[in-house]
Amino acid sequence: MRRPPSILRYEQLYLASFVLGLAASAVNWKGRTAQLSASPALANLQWLAPASLAVGIVISLTLWYFTARSPSLAAKWVVVVFAALSVLGIAGNVFTLLKGGPLFAVLLGIVVSALYIAAAALLFRPDARLWFGETINGDDAA
């Protein structure tokens, strides 16, 4: 099956969110490693930051593949759950911004989350639902 327009747009937004998310990780890297070093309980766990980044990359790329290239309904719903959690991330970023947090890093985090949410929303368009093998009711077709 040819990939429908909604999936093509989804892929663009998802990958944009992924790349900007990597940039956000780079911007926040020193702060995260400093937090680990500052805590006596976590000081010996310096490997945790790069390991969690690597796991996040693997999960993100796996979800991309099983939504944009080889459709999996399970992967679609995992993306949707992560998008819902991104709403909480935006709220947290706004709170951080109001407390005087670093403007660039916070705004970058908001953009990353907004792109992810927009990408996930595209998975519910009729052509995307067909891509995942879902049936479309007469009310859903536009």
Side-chain angles (χ1 to χ4, degrees):
M1 174 181 193
R2 236 178 124 213
R3 294 187 309 147
S6 294
I7 294 301
L8 295 173
R9 176 62 68 192
Y10 159 81
E11 182 176 41
Q12 293 168 345
L13 293 175
Y14 186 92
L15 292 176
S17 173
F18 174 72
V19 169
L20 287 176
L22 290 177
S25 292
V27 167
N28 295 318
W29 190 260
K30 284 185 182 180
R32 287 184 185 180
T33 55
Q35 285 177 334
L36 285 174
S37 298
S39 171
L42 300 176
N44 292 331
L45 300 176
Q46 291 299 318
W47 58 268
L48 193 58
S52 63
L53 179 62
V55 168
I57 289 171
V58 169
I59 290 170
S60 294
L61 292 177
T62 301
L63 288 173
W64 159 77
Y65 179 78
F66 285 109
T67 50
R69 297 296 171 141
S70 180
S72 163
L73 195 55
K76 170 188 172 175
W77 286 105
V78 172
V79 168
V80 170
V81 168
F82 285 161
L85 293 174
S86 291
V87 173
L88 297 175
I90 289 174
N93 280 325
V94 168
F95 183 72
T96 300
L97 190 60
L98 293 174
K99 286 178 38 180
L103 181 65
F104 179 73
V106 172
L107 291 178
L108 186 57
I110 290 171
V111 168
V112 167
S113 294
L115 286 170
Y116 196 90
I117 293 165
L122 289 170
L123 298 177
F124 291 96
R125 297 191 60 188
D127 60 339
R129 293 186 65 205
L130 287 173
W131 170 253
F132 290 103
E134 298 175 288
T135 58
I136 298 182
N137 299 335
D139 296 337
D140 290 340

